[in-house]
């Protein structure tokens, strides 16, 4: 025989009630606010071209705007550093060493240089694969 589910009332319901109250406040604010009529850009100039000119600090756009050349260069440098860090982390091995594209030894503690070793005896191929 099945029993009816019981509603557990307690402090665990408080975050949900706060979320519902916040939703009600936001809904009332948005629904009772009167917004002005939308206004577009005057004239027949290209908005996209004006944004591009503003990005590189040129005064050739149809609409005047502030220049963003310094911001553009800073963002480019930050993205370049992030890309370099991602490549470096992708090439790092488990023990903290930077791995190369070519692996000639299986044991890093093995004496001798890769050029001195006999390629016929090596268990690892120069392209990184194992025999």
């Amino acid at each position: 025989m099945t029993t009816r589910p019981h509603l557990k009332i307690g402090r665990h319901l408080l975050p949900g009630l706060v979320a519902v109250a916040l939703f009600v406040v936001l809904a009332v604010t948005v629904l009772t606010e009167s917004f002005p009529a939308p206004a577009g850009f005057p004239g027949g100039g290209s908005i996209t071209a004006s944004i591009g000119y503003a990005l590189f600090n040129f005064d050739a756009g149809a609409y005047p705007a502030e220049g963003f050349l310094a911001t553009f260069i800073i963002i480019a440098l930050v993205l370049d550093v992030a890309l370099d860090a991602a490549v470096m982390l992708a090439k790092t091995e488990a023990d903290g060493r930077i791995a190369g594209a070519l692996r000639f030894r299986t044991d890093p503690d093995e004496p001798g240089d890769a050029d001195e070793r006999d390629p016929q005896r090596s268990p690892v191929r120069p392209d990184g694969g194992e025999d």
Side-chain angles (χ1 to χ4, degrees):
M1 179 172 179
T2 60
T3 60
R4 281 185 9 187
H6 299 286
L7 179 65
K8 287 178 68 178
I9 299 176
R11 298 186 77 192
H12 66 280
L13 295 177
L14 184 62
L17 292 175
V18 170
V20 169
L22 181 62
F23 174 77
V24 169
V25 168
L26 289 175
V28 168
T29 303
V30 170
L31 293 176
T32 59
E33 182 64 33
S34 61
F35 295 104
F41 287 95
S46 173
I47 302 297
T48 308
S50 295
I51 292 172
Y53 289 133
L55 185 63
F56 291 108
N57 206 15
F58 295 144
D59 291 330
Y63 303 104
E66 297 178 12
F68 294 101
L69 185 59
T71 307
F72 180 75
I73 291 173
I74 291 170
I75 290 172
L77 289 174
V78 168
L79 289 176
D80 185 40
V81 168
L83 181 64
D84 293 344
V87 169
M88 186 194 74
L89 288 175
K91 291 176 67 173
T92 303
E93 291 187 357
D95 59 354
R97 294 183 302 123
I98 302 295
L102 300 175
R103 293 182 51 157
F104 294 102
R105 302 187 265 171
T106 56
D107 185 10
D109 298 328
E110 186 177 342
D113 192 75
D115 295 333
E116 298 173 2
R117 296 185 60 207
D118 183 13
Q120 298 298 330
R121 290 186 351 172
S122 174
V124 178
R125 298 189 313 246
D127 63 353
E130 294 186 14
D131 289 336

